[in-house]
mmCIF file of all heavy atoms in Angstrom:
data_model
loop_
_atom_site.group_PDB
_atom_site.id
_atom_site.type_symbol
_atom_site.label_atom_id
_atom_site.label_comp_id
_atom_site.label_asym_id
_atom_site.label_seq_id
_atom_site.Cartn_x
_atom_site.Cartn_y
_atom_site.Cartn_z
ATOM 1 N N ASP A 668 -4.625 0.304 -6.765
ATOM 2 C CA ASP A 668 -4.249 -1.093 -6.554
ATOM 3 C C ASP A 668 -5.527 -1.900 -6.312
ATOM 4 O O ASP A 668 -5.972 -2.047 -5.166
ATOM 5 C CB ASP A 668 -3.303 -1.228 -5.359
ATOM 6 C CG ASP A 668 -2.803 -2.658 -5.158
ATOM 7 O OD1 ASP A 668 -3.332 -3.575 -5.820
ATOM 8 O OD2 ASP A 668 -1.887 -2.853 -4.340
ATOM 9 N N PRO A 669 -6.158 -2.422 -7.371
ATOM 10 C CA PRO A 669 -7.414 -3.157 -7.184
ATOM 11 C C PRO A 669 -7.287 -4.343 -6.244
ATOM 12 O O PRO A 669 -8.221 -4.637 -5.489
ATOM 13 C CB PRO A 669 -7.758 -3.610 -8.610
ATOM 14 C CG PRO A 669 -7.044 -2.669 -9.515
ATOM 15 C CD PRO A 669 -5.783 -2.305 -8.790
ATOM 16 N N LEU A 670 -6.145 -5.037 -6.256
ATOM 17 C CA LEU A 670 -5.988 -6.196 -5.371
ATOM 18 C C LEU A 670 -6.085 -5.787 -3.911
ATOM 19 O O LEU A 670 -6.696 -6.491 -3.097
ATOM 20 C CB LEU A 670 -4.645 -6.887 -5.617
ATOM 21 C CG LEU A 670 -4.622 -7.991 -6.689
ATOM 22 C CD1 LEU A 670 -4.804 -7.390 -8.069
ATOM 23 C CD2 LEU A 670 -3.323 -8.779 -6.612
ATOM 24 N N ALA A 671 -5.480 -4.661 -3.562
ATOM 25 C CA ALA A 671 -5.538 -4.197 -2.181
ATOM 26 C C ALA A 671 -6.959 -3.779 -1.813
ATOM 27 O O ALA A 671 -7.419 -4.035 -0.699
ATOM 28 C CB ALA A 671 -4.563 -3.041 -1.982
ATOM 29 N N LEU A 672 -7.668 -3.134 -2.740
ATOM 30 C CA LEU A 672 -9.071 -2.786 -2.493
ATOM 31 C C LEU A 672 -9.886 -4.044 -2.239
ATOM 32 O O LEU A 672 -10.699 -4.100 -1.306
ATOM 33 C CB LEU A 672 -9.634 -2.009 -3.675
ATOM 34 C CG LEU A 672 -11.137 -1.697 -3.621
ATOM 35 C CD1 LEU A 672 -11.442 -0.689 -2.523
ATOM 36 C CD2 LEU A 672 -11.630 -1.194 -4.979
ATOM 37 N N TRP A 673 -9.693 -5.065 -3.079
ATOM 38 C CA TRP A 673 -10.433 -6.313 -2.924
ATOM 39 C C TRP A 673 -10.149 -6.949 -1.568
ATOM 40 O O TRP A 673 -11.053 -7.436 -0.899
ATOM 41 C CB TRP A 673 -10.078 -7.289 -4.040
ATOM 42 C CG TRP A 673 -10.389 -6.801 -5.422
ATOM 43 C CD1 TRP A 673 -11.226 -5.778 -5.768
ATOM 44 C CD2 TRP A 673 -9.854 -7.306 -6.644
ATOM 45 N NE1 TRP A 673 -11.247 -5.618 -7.129
ATOM 46 C CE2 TRP A 673 -10.413 -6.540 -7.692
ATOM 47 C CE3 TRP A 673 -8.955 -8.309 -6.968
ATOM 48 C CZ2 TRP A 673 -10.102 -6.765 -9.040
ATOM 49 C CZ3 TRP A 673 -8.643 -8.536 -8.301
ATOM 50 C CH2 TRP A 673 -9.217 -7.773 -9.317
ATOM 51 N N ALA A 674 -8.876 -6.965 -1.168
ATOM 52 C CA ALA A 674 -8.498 -7.602 0.099
ATOM 53 C C ALA A 674 -9.118 -6.868 1.285
ATOM 54 O O ALA A 674 -9.603 -7.498 2.235
ATOM 55 C CB ALA A 674 -6.982 -7.656 0.231
ATOM 56 N N ALA A 675 -9.095 -5.542 1.256
ATOM 57 C CA ALA A 675 -9.684 -4.765 2.345
ATOM 58 C C ALA A 675 -11.189 -5.002 2.415
ATOM 59 O O ALA A 675 -11.748 -5.220 3.503
ATOM 60 C CB ALA A 675 -9.374 -3.290 2.169
ATOM 61 N N ASN A 676 -11.855 -4.966 1.270
ATOM 62 C CA ASN A 676 -13.306 -5.166 1.264
ATOM 63 C C ASN A 676 -13.691 -6.581 1.691
ATOM 64 O O ASN A 676 -14.687 -6.777 2.390
ATOM 65 C CB ASN A 676 -13.870 -4.852 -0.122
ATOM 66 C CG ASN A 676 -14.216 -3.384 -0.295
ATOM 67 O OD1 ASN A 676 -14.695 -2.738 0.635
ATOM 68 N ND2 ASN A 676 -13.989 -2.856 -1.478
ATOM 69 N N ALA A 677 -12.915 -7.575 1.269
ATOM 70 C CA ALA A 677 -13.216 -8.952 1.670
ATOM 71 C C ALA A 677 -13.169 -9.095 3.188
ATOM 72 O O ALA A 677 -14.042 -9.717 3.799
ATOM 73 C CB ALA A 677 -12.234 -9.925 1.013
ATOM 74 N N ALA A 678 -12.144 -8.505 3.803
ATOM 75 C CA ALA A 678 -12.009 -8.606 5.257
ATOM 76 C C ALA A 678 -13.113 -7.854 5.990
ATOM 77 O O ALA A 678 -13.493 -8.222 7.107
ATOM 78 C CB ALA A 678 -10.645 -8.085 5.688
ATOM 79 N N ALA A 679 -13.643 -6.782 5.368
ATOM 80 C CA ALA A 679 -14.716 -6.000 5.984
ATOM 81 C C ALA A 679 -16.098 -6.570 5.682
ATOM 82 O O ALA A 679 -17.096 -6.048 6.187
ATOM 83 C CB ALA A 679 -14.636 -4.553 5.509
ATOM 84 N N GLY A 680 -16.164 -7.619 4.841
ATOM 85 C CA GLY A 680 -17.446 -8.217 4.514
ATOM 86 C C GLY A 680 -18.212 -7.473 3.448
ATOM 87 O O GLY A 680 -19.452 -7.496 3.439
ATOM 88 N N ASN A 681 -17.489 -6.820 2.527
ATOM 89 C CA ASN A 681 -18.102 -6.047 1.445
ATOM 90 C C ASN A 681 -17.901 -6.721 0.099
ATOM 91 O O ASN A 681 -16.995 -7.549 -0.064
ATOM 92 C CB ASN A 681 -17.474 -4.645 1.362
ATOM 93 C CG ASN A 681 -17.742 -3.794 2.568
ATOM 94 O OD1 ASN A 681 -18.764 -3.951 3.235
ATOM 95 N ND2 ASN A 681 -16.829 -2.880 2.861
ATOM 96 N N PRO A 682 -18.680 -6.350 -0.922
ATOM 97 C CA PRO A 682 -18.360 -6.756 -2.290
ATOM 98 C C PRO A 682 -16.977 -6.231 -2.679
ATOM 99 O O PRO A 682 -16.512 -5.217 -2.131
ATOM 100 C CB PRO A 682 -19.467 -6.095 -3.127
ATOM 101 C CG PRO A 682 -20.575 -5.823 -2.167
ATOM 102 C CD PRO A 682 -19.923 -5.552 -0.846
ATOM 103 N N PRO A 683 -16.306 -6.880 -3.626
ATOM 104 C CA PRO A 683 -14.916 -6.518 -3.934
ATOM 105 C C PRO A 683 -14.703 -5.053 -4.301
ATOM 106 O O PRO A 683 -13.706 -4.447 -3.896
ATOM 107 C CB PRO A 683 -14.567 -7.436 -5.115
ATOM 108 C CG PRO A 683 -15.493 -8.596 -4.981
ATOM 109 C CD PRO A 683 -16.757 -8.052 -4.395
ATOM 110 N N ASP A 684 -15.623 -4.465 -5.088
ATOM 111 C CA ASP A 684 -15.414 -3.110 -5.589
ATOM 112 C C ASP A 684 -16.165 -2.057 -4.803
ATOM 113 O O ASP A 684 -16.388 -0.943 -5.295
ATOM 114 C CB ASP A 684 -15.817 -3.042 -7.073
ATOM 115 C CG ASP A 684 -14.861 -3.826 -7.961
ATOM 116 O OD1 ASP A 684 -13.672 -3.904 -7.613
ATOM 117 O OD2 ASP A 684 -15.295 -4.360 -8.998
ATOM 118 N N ALA A 685 -16.578 -2.360 -3.569
ATOM 119 C CA ALA A 685 -17.289 -1.388 -2.744
ATOM 120 C C ALA A 685 -16.417 -0.161 -2.491
ATOM 121 O O ALA A 685 -15.185 -0.257 -2.412
ATOM 122 C CB ALA A 685 -17.687 -2.025 -1.412
ATOM 123 N N PRO A 686 -17.026 1.020 -2.362
ATOM 124 C CA PRO A 686 -16.245 2.226 -2.082
ATOM 125 C C PRO A 686 -15.472 2.107 -0.769
ATOM 126 O O PRO A 686 -15.986 1.602 0.237
ATOM 127 C CB PRO A 686 -17.300 3.335 -1.996
ATOM 128 C CG PRO A 686 -18.474 2.810 -2.761
ATOM 129 C CD PRO A 686 -18.456 1.326 -2.545
ATOM 130 N N ALA A 687 -14.235 2.574 -0.805
ATOM 131 C CA ALA A 687 -13.357 2.569 0.362
ATOM 132 C C ALA A 687 -12.522 3.842 0.326
ATOM 133 O O ALA A 687 -12.580 4.617 -0.645
ATOM 134 C CB ALA A 687 -12.460 1.334 0.359
ATOM 135 N N LEU A 688 -11.758 4.066 1.366
ATOM 136 C CA LEU A 688 -10.851 5.207 1.389
ATOM 137 C C LEU A 688 -9.489 4.777 0.851
ATOM 138 O O LEU A 688 -8.942 3.765 1.274
ATOM 139 C CB LEU A 688 -10.693 5.755 2.805
ATOM 140 C CG LEU A 688 -11.919 6.422 3.430
ATOM 141 C CD1 LEU A 688 -11.597 6.886 4.844
ATOM 142 C CD2 LEU A 688 -12.389 7.596 2.592
ATOM 143 N N GLU A 689 -8.965 5.548 -0.083
ATOM 144 C CA GLU A 689 -7.613 5.334 -0.599
ATOM 145 C C GLU A 689 -6.734 6.457 -0.065
ATOM 146 O O GLU A 689 -7.135 7.616 -0.066
ATOM 147 C CB GLU A 689 -7.620 5.349 -2.129
ATOM 148 C CG GLU A 689 -6.229 5.156 -2.738
ATOM 149 C CD GLU A 689 -6.241 5.293 -4.253
ATOM 150 O OE1 GLU A 689 -6.196 6.452 -4.740
ATOM 151 O OE2 GLU A 689 -6.297 4.264 -4.945
ATOM 152 N N LEU A 690 -5.532 6.113 0.372
ATOM 153 C CA LEU A 690 -4.654 7.126 0.960
ATOM 154 C C LEU A 690 -3.205 6.808 0.668
ATOM 155 O O LEU A 690 -2.856 5.686 0.289
ATOM 156 C CB LEU A 690 -4.867 7.182 2.472
ATOM 157 C CG LEU A 690 -4.707 5.855 3.209
ATOM 158 C CD1 LEU A 690 -3.591 5.936 4.233
ATOM 159 C CD2 LEU A 690 -6.017 5.475 3.875
ATOM 160 N N THR A 691 -2.377 7.809 0.835
ATOM 161 C CA THR A 691 -0.935 7.656 0.686
ATOM 162 C C THR A 691 -0.263 8.419 1.811
ATOM 163 O O THR A 691 -0.922 9.086 2.610
ATOM 164 C CB THR A 691 -0.477 8.152 -0.693
ATOM 165 O OG1 THR A 691 0.889 7.783 -0.902
ATOM 166 C CG2 THR A 691 -0.617 9.660 -0.834
ATOM 167 N N ALA A 692 1.057 8.316 1.917
ATOM 168 C CA ALA A 692 1.769 8.967 3.011
ATOM 169 C C ALA A 692 2.050 10.436 2.680
ATOM 170 O O ALA A 692 2.371 10.750 1.533
ATOM 171 C CB ALA A 692 3.086 8.231 3.283
ATOM 172 N N PRO A 693 1.975 11.308 3.670
ATOM 173 C CA PRO A 693 1.510 11.058 5.031
ATOM 174 C C PRO A 693 0.003 10.829 5.072
ATOM 175 O O PRO A 693 -0.758 11.513 4.381
ATOM 176 C CB PRO A 693 1.887 12.343 5.782
ATOM 177 C CG PRO A 693 1.963 13.390 4.718
ATOM 178 C CD PRO A 693 2.431 12.700 3.480
ATOM 179 N N GLY A 694 -0.406 9.851 5.862
ATOM 180 C CA GLY A 694 -1.802 9.439 5.894
ATOM 181 C C GLY A 694 -2.656 10.304 6.802
ATOM 182 O O GLY A 694 -2.164 11.173 7.530
ATOM 183 N N PRO A 695 -3.958 10.057 6.789
ATOM 184 C CA PRO A 695 -4.888 10.849 7.580
ATOM 185 C C PRO A 695 -4.964 10.385 9.029
ATOM 186 O O PRO A 695 -4.443 9.327 9.398
ATOM 187 C CB PRO A 695 -6.223 10.610 6.870
ATOM 188 C CG PRO A 695 -6.097 9.204 6.352
ATOM 189 C CD PRO A 695 -4.651 9.058 5.953
ATOM 190 N N VAL A 696 -5.646 11.178 9.843
ATOM 191 C CA VAL A 696 -6.064 10.787 11.187
ATOM 192 C C VAL A 696 -7.581 10.842 11.196
ATOM 193 O O VAL A 696 -8.181 11.882 10.924
ATOM 194 C CB VAL A 696 -5.488 11.725 12.265
ATOM 195 C CG1 VAL A 696 -6.034 11.341 13.645
ATOM 196 C CG2 VAL A 696 -3.966 11.669 12.267
ATOM 197 N N LEU A 697 -8.217 9.688 11.494
ATOM 198 C CA LEU A 697 -9.668 9.563 11.410
ATOM 199 C C LEU A 697 -10.208 9.138 12.776
ATOM 200 O O LEU A 697 -9.749 8.157 13.350
ATOM 201 C CB LEU A 697 -10.045 8.511 10.360
ATOM 202 C CG LEU A 697 -9.436 8.708 8.964
ATOM 203 C CD1 LEU A 697 -9.692 7.488 8.100
ATOM 204 C CD2 LEU A 697 -9.998 9.959 8.308
ATOM 205 N N ARG A 698 -11.193 9.873 13.278
ATOM 206 C CA ARG A 698 -11.824 9.543 14.558
ATOM 207 C C ARG A 698 -13.170 8.888 14.304
ATOM 208 O O ARG A 698 -14.021 9.438 13.602
ATOM 209 C CB ARG A 698 -11.981 10.799 15.421
ATOM 210 C CG ARG A 698 -12.689 10.556 16.757
ATOM 211 C CD ARG A 698 -12.575 11.774 17.667
ATOM 212 N NE ARG A 698 -12.969 12.987 16.991
ATOM 213 C CZ ARG A 698 -14.240 13.439 16.904
ATOM 214 N NH1 ARG A 698 -15.224 12.735 17.459
ATOM 215 N NH2 ARG A 698 -14.507 14.566 16.284
ATOM 216 N N ALA A 699 -13.373 7.710 14.874
ATOM 217 C CA ALA A 699 -14.607 6.971 14.664
ATOM 218 C C ALA A 699 -15.767 7.665 15.373
ATOM 219 O O ALA A 699 -15.674 8.009 16.558
ATOM 220 C CB ALA A 699 -14.464 5.545 15.170
ATOM 221 N N LEU A 700 -16.857 7.868 14.643
ATOM 222 C CA LEU A 700 -18.065 8.469 15.196
ATOM 223 C C LEU A 700 -19.086 7.417 15.611
ATOM 224 O O LEU A 700 -20.155 7.757 16.115
ATOM 225 C CB LEU A 700 -18.685 9.428 14.175
ATOM 226 C CG LEU A 700 -17.801 10.597 13.751
ATOM 227 C CD1 LEU A 700 -18.487 11.425 12.684
ATOM 228 C CD2 LEU A 700 -17.432 11.470 14.954
ATOM 229 N N ASP A 701 -18.769 6.157 15.378
ATOM 230 C CA ASP A 701 -19.641 5.040 15.730
ATOM 231 C C ASP A 701 -18.756 3.806 15.849
ATOM 232 O O ASP A 701 -17.588 3.824 15.437
ATOM 233 C CB ASP A 701 -20.708 4.845 14.648
ATOM 234 C CG ASP A 701 -21.889 4.017 15.125
ATOM 235 O OD1 ASP A 701 -21.860 3.559 16.287
ATOM 236 O OD2 ASP A 701 -22.829 3.816 14.339
ATOM 237 N N ASP A 702 -19.290 2.737 16.399
ATOM 238 C CA ASP A 702 -18.559 1.473 16.406
ATOM 239 C C ASP A 702 -18.542 0.924 14.983
ATOM 240 O O ASP A 702 -19.582 0.835 14.330
ATOM 241 C CB ASP A 702 -19.224 0.469 17.347
ATOM 242 C CG ASP A 702 -19.126 0.880 18.810
ATOM 243 O OD1 ASP A 702 -18.345 1.809 19.113
ATOM 244 O OD2 ASP A 702 -19.830 0.281 19.632
ATOM 245 N N LEU A 703 -17.358 0.549 14.517
ATOM 246 C CA LEU A 703 -17.181 0.154 13.117
ATOM 247 C C LEU A 703 -16.362 -1.123 13.020
ATOM 248 O O LEU A 703 -15.511 -1.395 13.868
ATOM 249 C CB LEU A 703 -16.438 1.251 12.332
ATOM 250 C CG LEU A 703 -17.014 2.652 12.317
ATOM 251 C CD1 LEU A 703 -15.982 3.626 11.771
ATOM 252 C CD2 LEU A 703 -18.280 2.685 11.468
ATOM 253 N N THR A 704 -16.605 -1.870 11.945
ATOM 254 C CA THR A 704 -15.681 -2.926 11.535
ATOM 255 C C THR A 704 -14.956 -2.427 10.301
ATOM 256 O O THR A 704 -15.591 -2.053 9.299
ATOM 257 C CB THR A 704 -16.418 -4.235 11.219
ATOM 258 O OG1 THR A 704 -17.046 -4.716 12.401
ATOM 259 C CG2 THR A 704 -15.436 -5.303 10.713
ATOM 260 N N VAL A 705 -13.636 -2.396 10.362
ATOM 261 C CA VAL A 705 -12.826 -1.879 9.262
ATOM 262 C C VAL A 705 -11.746 -2.887 8.916
ATOM 263 O O VAL A 705 -11.481 -3.836 9.663
ATOM 264 C CB VAL A 705 -12.183 -0.515 9.607
ATOM 265 C CG1 VAL A 705 -13.235 0.493 10.058
ATOM 266 C CG2 VAL A 705 -11.109 -0.680 10.677
ATOM 267 N N ALA A 706 -11.114 -2.670 7.774
ATOM 268 C CA ALA A 706 -9.943 -3.450 7.382
ATOM 269 C C ALA A 706 -9.035 -2.550 6.561
ATOM 270 O O ALA A 706 -9.515 -1.713 5.782
ATOM 271 C CB ALA A 706 -10.339 -4.683 6.581
ATOM 272 N N VAL A 707 -7.742 -2.712 6.734
ATOM 273 C CA VAL A 707 -6.740 -1.910 6.027
ATOM 274 C C VAL A 707 -5.877 -2.844 5.202
ATOM 275 O O VAL A 707 -5.427 -3.889 5.691
ATOM 276 C CB VAL A 707 -5.865 -1.117 7.018
ATOM 277 C CG1 VAL A 707 -4.817 -0.298 6.271
ATOM 278 C CG2 VAL A 707 -6.725 -0.210 7.888
ATOM 279 N N ALA A 708 -5.644 -2.495 3.940
ATOM 280 C CA ALA A 708 -4.800 -3.317 3.068
ATOM 281 C C ALA A 708 -4.037 -2.404 2.118
ATOM 282 O O ALA A 708 -4.322 -1.218 2.003
ATOM 283 C CB ALA A 708 -5.650 -4.324 2.284
#
């Protein structure tokens, strides 16, 4: 879903096609190893 990728990257302050994590249900559990700014779309 390119639109969702674009929306997530825009909110995170990235170029539209920047690498991101794509997932489906059941989703992952991710523990932050540093302070991060993220966006989910």
Side-chain angles (χ1 to χ4, degrees):
D668 184 350
L670 271 69
L672 174 69
W673 300 342
N676 272 323
N681 295 331
D684 291 329
L688 292 179
E689 179 185 83
L690 55 119
T691 190
V696 176
L697 307 170
R698 177 169 51 86
L700 299 177
D701 198 358
D702 293 347
L703 304 167
T704 296
V705 306
V707 179

